Coordinates of all heavy atoms in Angstrom, one line a residue:
M1 N 8.4 19.1 -2.0 CA 6.9 19.4 -1.7 C 6.1 18.1 -1.6 O 6.2 17.3 -2.4 CB 6.4 20.3 -2.8 CG 5.0 20.7 -2.5 SD 4.4 21.8 -3.8 CE 2.9 21.1 -4.3
A2 N 5.3 18.0 -0.5 CA 4.5 16.9 -0.4 C 3.1 17.2 -1.0 O 2.7 18.3 -1.0 CB 4.3 16.5 1.1
G3 N 2.5 16.2 -1.5 CA 1.2 16.4 -2.1 C 0.2 15.3 -1.6 O 0.6 14.3 -1.2
K4 N -1.0 15.6 -1.6 CA -2.1 14.7 -1.1 C -2.9 14.2 -2.4 O -3.2 15.0 -3.3 CB -2.9 15.4 -0.1 CG -3.9 14.5 0.5 CD -4.7 15.2 1.6 CE -5.7 14.3 2.3 NZ -6.4 15.0 3.4
C5 N -3.3 13.0 -2.3 CA -4.1 12.4 -3.4 C -5.4 13.3 -3.5 O -6.1 13.5 -2.5 CB -4.4 11.0 -3.1 SG -5.6 10.3 -4.4
S6 N -5.7 13.7 -4.7 CA -7.0 14.5 -4.9 C -8.0 13.6 -5.6 O -9.1 14.1 -6.0 CB -6.7 15.7 -5.8 OG -6.3 15.2 -7.1
F7 N -7.7 12.3 -5.7 CA -8.6 11.3 -6.4 C -8.8 11.9 -7.8 O -9.8 11.7 -8.5 CB -9.9 11.1 -5.7 CG -9.8 10.2 -4.5 CD1 -9.8 10.7 -3.2 CD2 -9.6 8.8 -4.7 CE1 -9.7 9.9 -2.1 CE2 -9.4 8.0 -3.6 CZ -9.5 8.5 -2.3
C8 N -7.7 12.6 -8.3 CA -7.8 13.1 -9.7 C -9.1 13.9 -10.0 O -9.7 13.6 -11.0 CB -7.5 12.1 -10.7 SG -5.8 11.6 -10.9
H9 N -9.4 14.8 -9.1 CA -10.7 15.6 -9.2 C -10.8 16.2 -10.7 O -11.9 16.1 -11.2 CB -10.7 16.7 -8.2 CG -11.9 17.5 -8.3 ND1 -13.1 17.1 -7.7 CD2 -12.1 18.8 -8.7 CE1 -14.0 18.0 -8.0 NE2 -13.4 19.0 -8.5
H10 N -9.7 16.6 -11.2 CA -9.7 17.3 -12.5 C -10.1 16.3 -13.6 O -10.6 16.6 -14.6 CB -8.4 17.9 -12.8 CG -7.2 16.9 -12.9 ND1 -6.7 16.3 -11.8 CD2 -6.5 16.5 -13.9 CE1 -5.7 15.5 -12.1 NE2 -5.6 15.6 -13.4
R11 N -9.8 15.0 -13.4 CA -10.1 13.9 -14.4 C -11.5 13.4 -14.1 O -12.3 13.2 -15.0 CB -9.1 12.8 -14.3 CG -7.8 13.2 -14.8 CD -6.8 12.1 -14.6 NE -7.2 10.9 -15.3 CZ -6.9 10.5 -16.5 NH1 -6.2 11.3 -17.3 NH2 -7.4 9.4 -17.0
T12 N -11.9 13.1 -12.8 CA -13.1 12.4 -12.5 C -14.3 13.3 -12.7 O -15.4 12.8 -13.1 CB -13.1 11.8 -11.1 OG1 -12.9 12.9 -10.2 CG2 -12.1 10.8 -10.9
T13 N -14.1 14.6 -12.6 CA -15.2 15.5 -12.9 C -15.5 15.6 -14.4 O -16.5 16.2 -14.8 CB -15.0 16.9 -12.3 OG1 -13.7 17.4 -12.7 CG2 -15.0 16.9 -10.8
E14 N -14.6 15.1 -15.2 CA -14.8 15.1 -16.6 C -15.1 13.7 -17.1 O -15.1 13.4 -18.3 CB -13.4 15.6 -17.3 CG -13.1 17.0 -17.0 CD -14.1 18.0 -17.5 OE1 -14.7 17.8 -18.6 OE2 -14.3 19.0 -16.8
G15 N -15.4 12.8 -16.2 CA -15.9 11.5 -16.5 C -14.8 10.5 -16.8 O -15.1 9.4 -17.3
M16 N -13.5 10.9 -16.5 CA -12.4 10.0 -16.7 C -12.1 9.3 -15.4 O -12.4 9.7 -14.3 CB -11.2 10.7 -17.2 CG -11.4 11.3 -18.6 SD -9.9 12.1 -19.2 CE -9.9 13.7 -18.2
L17 N -11.4 8.2 -15.5 CA -10.8 7.5 -14.3 C -9.6 8.2 -13.8 O -8.9 8.9 -14.5 CB -10.4 6.0 -14.7 CG -11.5 5.0 -15.0 CD1 -10.8 3.8 -15.5 CD2 -12.3 4.7 -13.7
P18 N -9.4 8.1 -12.5 CA -8.1 8.6 -12.0 C -6.9 8.0 -12.8 O -7.0 6.9 -13.2 CB -8.0 8.1 -10.5 CG -9.5 7.9 -10.1 CD -10.1 7.4 -11.4
A19 N -5.9 8.8 -12.9 CA -4.7 8.4 -13.7 C -4.1 7.1 -13.3 O -3.9 6.2 -14.1 CB -3.7 9.5 -13.7
C20 N -4.0 6.9 -12.0 CA -3.4 5.6 -11.5 C -4.3 4.4 -11.7 O -3.8 3.3 -11.9 CB -3.0 5.8 -10.0 SG -4.4 6.2 -8.9
V21 N -5.6 4.7 -11.8 CA -6.5 3.5 -12.0 C -6.5 3.2 -13.5 O -6.4 2.0 -13.8 CB -8.0 3.9 -11.6 CG1 -9.0 2.8 -11.9 CG2 -8.0 4.2 -10.0
G22 N -6.6 4.2 -14.3 CA -6.6 4.0 -15.8 C -5.4 3.4 -16.3 O -5.5 2.8 -17.4
T23 N -4.3 3.6 -15.7 CA -3.0 3.2 -16.3 C -2.4 1.9 -15.6 O -1.4 1.4 -16.0 CB -1.9 4.3 -16.2 OG1 -1.7 4.7 -14.9 CG2 -2.4 5.5 -17.0
C24 N -3.0 1.4 -14.5 CA -2.4 0.3 -13.8 C -2.6 -1.0 -14.7 O -3.7 -1.4 -15.0 CB -3.1 0.1 -12.5 SG -2.5 -1.2 -11.5
V25 N -1.4 -1.5 -15.0 CA -1.5 -2.7 -15.9 C -2.0 -4.0 -15.2 O -2.3 -5.0 -15.9 CB -0.1 -3.0 -16.5 CG1 0.3 -1.8 -17.4 CG2 1.0 -3.2 -15.5
T26 N -2.0 -4.0 -13.9 CA -2.5 -5.2 -13.2 C -3.9 -5.0 -12.7 O -4.4 -5.8 -12.0 CB -1.6 -5.6 -12.1 OG1 -1.5 -4.5 -11.1 CG2 -0.2 -5.9 -12.6
S27 N -4.6 -3.8 -13.0 CA -5.9 -3.6 -12.4 C -6.0 -3.7 -10.9 O -6.9 -4.3 -10.4 CB -6.9 -4.4 -13.1 OG -6.9 -4.2 -14.5
A28 N -5.0 -3.2 -10.3 CA -4.9 -3.3 -8.8 C -5.8 -2.3 -8.1 O -6.0 -2.5 -6.9 CB -3.5 -3.1 -8.4
R29 N -6.3 -1.3 -8.8 CA -7.1 -0.3 -8.2 C -8.6 -0.3 -8.9 O -8.7 -0.4 -10.1 CB -6.5 1.0 -8.3 CG -5.2 1.2 -7.5 CD -4.6 2.5 -7.5 NE -3.6 2.6 -6.6 CZ -3.1 3.7 -6.1 NH1 -3.6 4.9 -6.5 NH2 -2.1 3.8 -5.2
Y30 N -9.5 -0.1 -8.0 CA -10.9 0.1 -8.5 C -11.3 1.6 -8.0 O -11.0 2.0 -7.0 CB -11.8 -0.9 -7.9 CG -11.6 -2.3 -8.4 CD1 -10.6 -3.1 -7.9 CD2 -12.5 -2.8 -9.3 CE1 -10.4 -4.3 -8.4 CE2 -12.3 -4.1 -9.8 CZ -11.3 -4.9 -9.2 OH -11.1 -6.2 -9.7
F31 N -12.2 2.2 -8.8 CA -12.7 3.5 -8.5 C -14.1 3.6 -8.9 O -14.5 3.1 -10.0 CB -11.8 4.6 -9.2 CG -12.2 6.0 -8.8 CD1 -11.7 6.6 -7.7 CD2 -13.1 6.6 -9.7 CE1 -12.1 7.9 -7.4 CE2 -13.5 8.0 -9.4 CZ -13.0 8.6 -8.2
G32 N -14.9 4.2 -8.1 CA -16.3 4.4 -8.6 C -17.2 4.9 -7.5 O -16.8 5.3 -6.4
D33 N -18.5 4.9 -7.8 CA -19.5 5.6 -6.9 C -20.1 4.5 -6.0 O -20.7 3.6 -6.5 CB -20.6 6.1 -7.8 CG -21.6 6.8 -7.0 OD1 -21.6 6.8 -5.7 OD2 -22.5 7.5 -7.6
L34 N -19.8 4.6 -4.7 CA -20.3 3.6 -3.8 C -21.8 3.7 -3.6 O -22.4 2.8 -3.1 CB -19.6 3.8 -2.4 CG -18.1 3.5 -2.3 CD1 -17.5 3.8 -1.0 CD2 -17.9 2.0 -2.6
N35 N -22.3 4.8 -4.0 CA -23.8 5.0 -3.9 C -24.5 4.3 -5.1 O -25.8 4.3 -5.1 CB -24.2 6.4 -3.8 CG -23.7 7.0 -2.5 OD1 -23.8 6.4 -1.4 ND2 -23.2 8.2 -2.6
D36 N -23.8 3.9 -6.1 CA -24.4 3.2 -7.3 C -24.1 1.7 -7.2 O -23.0 1.3 -7.3 CB -23.7 3.8 -8.5 CG -24.2 3.1 -9.8 OD1 -25.1 2.2 -9.7 OD2 -23.7 3.4 -10.9
P37 N -25.2 1.0 -6.8 CA -25.0 -0.5 -6.7 C -24.5 -1.2 -7.9 O -24.1 -2.3 -7.8 CB -26.4 -1.0 -6.2 CG -27.4 0.1 -6.7 CD -26.6 1.4 -6.7
D38 N -24.7 -0.6 -9.1 CA -24.2 -1.2 -10.3 C -22.8 -0.8 -10.7 O -22.3 -1.3 -11.7 CB -25.1 -0.8 -11.5 CG -26.6 -1.4 -11.3 OD1 -26.6 -2.5 -10.8 OD2 -27.5 -0.7 -11.6
S39 N -22.1 0.0 -9.9 CA -20.7 0.4 -10.2 C -19.8 -0.8 -9.9 O -20.1 -1.6 -9.1 CB -20.3 1.6 -9.4 OG -20.2 1.3 -8.0
D40 N -18.7 -0.8 -10.6 CA -17.7 -1.9 -10.4 C -17.3 -2.0 -9.0 O -17.1 -3.1 -8.4 CB -16.5 -1.7 -11.3 CG -16.8 -2.0 -12.8 OD1 -17.9 -2.6 -13.1 OD2 -16.0 -1.5 -13.7
I41 N -17.0 -0.9 -8.3 CA -16.5 -0.9 -7.0 C -17.6 -1.5 -6.0 O -17.3 -2.2 -5.1 CB -16.0 0.5 -6.5 CG1 -15.3 0.4 -5.1 CG2 -17.1 1.5 -6.5 CD1 -14.1 -0.6 -5.1
S42 N -18.9 -1.1 -6.2 CA -19.9 -1.6 -5.4 C -20.1 -3.1 -5.5 O -20.2 -3.8 -4.6 CB -21.2 -0.9 -5.7 OG -21.3 0.4 -5.4
K43 N -19.9 -3.6 -6.8 CA -20.0 -5.0 -7.0 C -18.8 -5.7 -6.4 O -19.0 -6.8 -5.8 CB -20.0 -5.3 -8.5 CG -21.3 -4.9 -9.1 CD -21.3 -5.1 -10.6 CE -22.5 -4.6 -11.3 NZ -22.5 -4.6 -12.8
K44 N -17.6 -5.1 -6.4 CA -16.4 -5.7 -5.8 C -16.6 -5.8 -4.3 O -16.3 -6.8 -3.7 CB -15.2 -4.9 -6.2 CG -13.9 -5.3 -5.6 CD -13.3 -6.5 -6.4 CE -11.9 -6.8 -5.8 NZ -11.4 -8.1 -6.3
L45 N -17.1 -4.7 -3.7 CA -17.3 -4.7 -2.2 C -18.4 -5.7 -1.8 O -18.4 -6.2 -0.7 CB -17.7 -3.3 -1.8 CG -16.5 -2.4 -1.7 CD1 -16.9 -0.9 -1.4 CD2 -15.4 -2.8 -0.6
A46 N -19.4 -5.9 -2.7 CA -20.5 -6.8 -2.4 C -19.9 -8.3 -2.2 O -20.5 -9.1 -1.6 CB -21.5 -6.7 -3.4
S47 N -18.7 -8.5 -2.8 CA -18.1 -9.8 -2.6 C -17.7 -10.1 -1.2 O -17.4 -11.2 -0.8 CB -16.9 -10.0 -3.6 OG -15.8 -9.2 -3.1
G48 N -17.7 -9.0 -0.4 CA -17.5 -9.2 1.1 C -16.1 -9.2 1.6 O -15.9 -9.4 2.7
S49 N -15.1 -9.0 0.7 CA -13.7 -9.1 1.2 C -13.0 -7.7 1.4 O -11.8 -7.7 1.7 CB -12.9 -9.9 0.2 OG -12.9 -9.3 -1.1
G50 N -13.7 -6.6 1.2 CA -13.1 -5.3 1.4 C -12.9 -5.0 2.9 O -13.7 -5.3 3.7
E51 N -11.7 -4.4 3.2 CA -11.4 -4.0 4.5 C -10.9 -2.6 4.6 O -10.3 -2.1 3.6 CB -10.3 -4.9 5.1 CG -10.6 -6.4 5.2 CD -9.4 -7.2 5.6 OE1 -9.1 -7.2 6.8 OE2 -8.9 -7.9 4.8
V52 N -11.1 -1.9 5.7 CA -10.6 -0.6 5.9 C -9.4 -0.6 6.9 O -9.4 -1.5 7.7 CB -11.6 0.4 6.3 CG1 -12.7 0.6 5.3 CG2 -12.2 0.0 7.6
L53 N -8.5 0.3 6.8 CA -7.5 0.4 7.8 C -8.0 1.0 9.1 O -8.9 1.8 9.2 CB -6.3 1.3 7.3 CG -5.6 0.8 6.1 CD1 -4.6 1.9 5.7 CD2 -4.8 -0.4 6.4
N54 N -7.5 0.5 10.2 CA -7.9 1.0 11.6 C -9.4 1.1 11.7 O -9.9 2.1 12.2 CB -7.3 2.4 11.8 CG -5.8 2.3 11.7 OD1 -5.1 1.4 12.3 ND2 -5.2 3.3 11.1
S55 N -10.1 0.0 11.4 CA -11.5 0.0 11.5 C -12.0 0.2 12.9 O -13.1 0.7 13.2 CB -12.1 -1.4 11.0 OG -11.6 -2.4 11.7
D56 N -11.1 -0.1 13.9 CA -11.6 0.1 15.3 C -11.8 1.5 15.7 O -12.4 1.9 16.6 CB -10.5 -0.5 16.2 CG -9.1 0.0 16.0 OD1 -8.7 0.1 14.8 OD2 -8.4 0.4 16.9
L57 N -11.3 2.5 14.8 CA -11.4 3.9 15.1 C -12.8 4.4 14.7 O -13.3 5.5 15.1 CB -10.4 4.7 14.4 CG -8.9 4.4 14.8 CD1 -8.0 5.2 14.0 CD2 -8.7 4.7 16.3
G58 N -13.6 3.6 13.9 CA -14.9 3.9 13.5 C -15.0 5.2 12.6 O -16.0 5.9 12.8
L59 N -14.0 5.5 11.8 CA -14.1 6.7 11.0 C -14.7 6.5 9.7 O -14.9 7.5 9.0 CB -12.6 7.1 10.8 CG -11.8 7.4 12.0 CD1 -10.3 7.7 11.7 CD2 -12.4 8.6 12.8
S60 N -15.2 5.3 9.3 CA -15.9 5.1 8.1 C -15.2 5.6 6.8 O -15.8 6.4 6.1 CB -17.3 5.6 8.2 OG -18.0 5.1 9.2
P61 N -14.0 5.3 6.6 CA -13.3 5.8 5.4 C -13.9 5.2 4.2 O -14.6 4.2 4.2 CB -11.8 5.3 5.6 CG -12.0 4.1 6.4 CD -13.1 4.4 7.3
S62 N -13.7 5.8 3.0 CA -14.2 5.2 1.8 C -13.1 4.6 0.9 O -13.2 4.5 -0.3 CB -15.0 6.3 1.0 OG -14.1 7.4 0.8
L63 N -12.0 4.3 1.5 CA -10.9 3.6 0.8 C -10.8 2.2 1.4 O -10.6 2.0 2.6 CB -9.6 4.4 1.1 CG -8.3 3.9 0.3 CD1 -8.5 3.9 -1.1 CD2 -7.1 4.7 0.8
Y64 N -11.0 1.2 0.5 CA -11.0 -0.2 1.0 C -9.8 -0.9 0.4 O -9.4 -0.6 -0.7 CB -12.3 -0.8 0.5 CG -13.6 -0.3 1.1 CD1 -14.2 0.9 0.6 CD2 -14.2 -0.9 2.2 CE1 -15.3 1.4 1.2 CE2 -15.3 -0.4 2.8 CZ -15.8 0.7 2.3 OH -17.0 1.2 2.9
Y65 N -9.4 -1.9 1.1 CA -8.3 -2.8 0.6 C -8.9 -4.2 0.5 O -9.7 -4.7 1.3 CB -7.2 -2.8 1.7 CG -6.6 -1.4 1.8 CD1 -7.1 -0.5 2.6 CD2 -5.4 -1.1 1.0 CE1 -6.5 0.8 2.7 CE2 -4.9 0.1 1.1 CZ -5.4 1.1 2.0 OH -4.8 2.3 2.1
F66 N -8.4 -4.9 -0.4 CA -8.8 -6.3 -0.6 C -7.5 -7.2 -0.3 O -6.4 -6.8 -0.6 CB -9.3 -6.6 -2.0 CG -10.5 -5.9 -2.3 CD1 -10.5 -4.6 -2.9 CD2 -11.8 -6.4 -1.9 CE1 -11.7 -3.9 -3.1 CE2 -12.9 -5.7 -2.2 CZ -12.9 -4.4 -2.8
D67 N -7.8 -8.3 0.4 CA -6.7 -9.2 0.8 C -5.7 -8.4 1.8 O -4.5 -8.7 1.7 CB -6.0 -9.8 -0.4 CG -6.9 -10.6 -1.2 OD1 -7.7 -11.3 -0.6 OD2 -6.7 -10.6 -2.4
L68 N -6.3 -7.5 2.5 CA -5.4 -6.7 3.4 C -4.7 -7.6 4.4 O -3.5 -7.4 4.7 CB -6.2 -5.6 4.1 CG -5.6 -4.7 5.1 CD1 -4.4 -3.9 4.4 CD2 -6.6 -3.8 5.8
S69 N -5.4 -8.5 5.0 CA -4.8 -9.4 6.0 C -3.6 -10.1 5.5 O -2.6 -10.3 6.2 CB -5.8 -10.3 6.6 OG -7.0 -9.6 7.2
A70 N -3.8 -10.6 4.3 CA -2.7 -11.3 3.7 C -1.5 -10.4 3.4 O -0.3 -10.8 3.6 CB -3.1 -12.0 2.3
A71 N -1.7 -9.2 3.0 CA -0.7 -8.2 2.7 C 0.1 -7.9 4.0 O 1.3 -7.7 4.1 CB -1.2 -7.0 2.0
E72 N -0.8 -7.7 5.1 CA -0.1 -7.3 6.4 C 0.7 -8.5 6.9 O 1.6 -8.2 7.7 CB -1.2 -7.0 7.4 CG -1.8 -5.6 7.1 CD -3.0 -5.2 8.0 OE1 -3.6 -6.2 8.6 OE2 -3.2 -4.0 8.2
A73 N 0.4 -9.7 6.5 CA 1.2 -10.8 7.1 C 2.5 -11.0 6.3 O 3.4 -11.8 6.7 CB 0.3 -12.1 6.9
M74 N 2.6 -10.3 5.2 CA 3.9 -10.5 4.4 C 5.0 -9.7 5.0 O 4.8 -8.7 5.7 CB 3.7 -9.9 3.0 CG 2.8 -10.6 2.1 SD 2.8 -9.7 0.5 CE 1.5 -10.6 -0.3
P75 N 6.2 -10.3 4.9 CA 7.4 -9.5 5.4 C 7.5 -8.2 4.7 O 7.1 -8.1 3.5 CB 8.6 -10.4 5.0 CG 8.0 -11.7 4.7 CD 6.6 -11.5 4.3
D76 N 8.0 -7.1 5.3 CA 8.1 -5.8 4.7 C 8.8 -5.8 3.4 O 8.5 -5.1 2.5 CB 8.8 -4.8 5.7 CG 7.9 -4.5 6.9 OD1 6.6 -4.7 6.8 OD2 8.4 -4.0 7.9
S77 N 9.8 -6.7 3.3 CA 10.6 -6.7 2.0 C 9.8 -7.2 0.9 O 10.1 -6.9 -0.3 CB 11.9 -7.5 2.2 OG 11.5 -8.8 2.5
V78 N 8.7 -7.9 1.1 CA 7.8 -8.4 0.0 C 6.6 -7.5 -0.2 O 6.3 -7.3 -1.4 CB 7.3 -9.9 0.3 CG1 6.3 -10.4 -0.7 CG2 8.5 -10.8 0.5
A79 N 6.0 -7.1 0.9 CA 4.8 -6.2 0.7 C 5.2 -4.9 0.1 O 4.5 -4.3 -0.6 CB 4.1 -6.0 2.1
Ligands
SF4_1 S1 -3.1 9.5 -9.9 FE1 -4.1 8.3 -8.3 S2 -2.9 8.7 -6.4 FE2 -2.4 10.4 -7.9 S3 -3.8 12.0 -7.5 FE3 -4.8 10.7 -9.0 S4 -6.0 9.2 -7.9 FE4 -4.6 10.2 -6.4

């Protein structure tokens, strides 16, 4: 059975972080309210390095990647 990420709705509506964000030992994921300029994710995006996939499609997704260009340049066996 395939499942789709729910952004851990059952956790975030209770004030908790998504499970994958809260347990990531390398802090590879950020989660927060983009409408709150004081949230960690807003501050991270303000640094100017956030990118979205397929930006040419103009879909305005709310999932951003950092250092995406560097990751895309890696060989598949490394990325
Ligand atoms: S743990 Fe992460 S990937 Fe899985 S549903 Fe929650 S937010 Fe989505």
Side-chain angles (χ1 to χ4, degrees):
M1 178 178 134
K4 185 174 180 180
C5 174
S6 65
F7 286 105
C8 281
H9 180 77
H10 62 292
R11 292 175 55 89
T12 56
T13 54
E14 297 295 325
M16 294 183 282
L17 288 172
C20 59
V21 175
T23 59
C24 181
V25 296
T26 61
S27 299
R29 292 181 171 201
Y30 290 78
F31 182 87
D33 183 356
L34 292 174
N35 294 318
D36 177 0
D38 293 325
S39 68
D40 288 345
I41 188 60
S42 290
K43 291 176 183 174
K44 179 81 173 165
L45 283 172
S47 70
S49 60
E51 299 174 73
V52 297
L53 294 175
N54 300 317
S55 60
D56 55 314
L57 298 177
L59 300 175
S60 302
S62 55
L63 184 61
Y64 293 85
Y65 295 86
F66 296 93
D67 298 322
L68 179 60
S69 301
E72 288 177 334
M74 289 182 188
D76 287 344
S77 60
V78 176

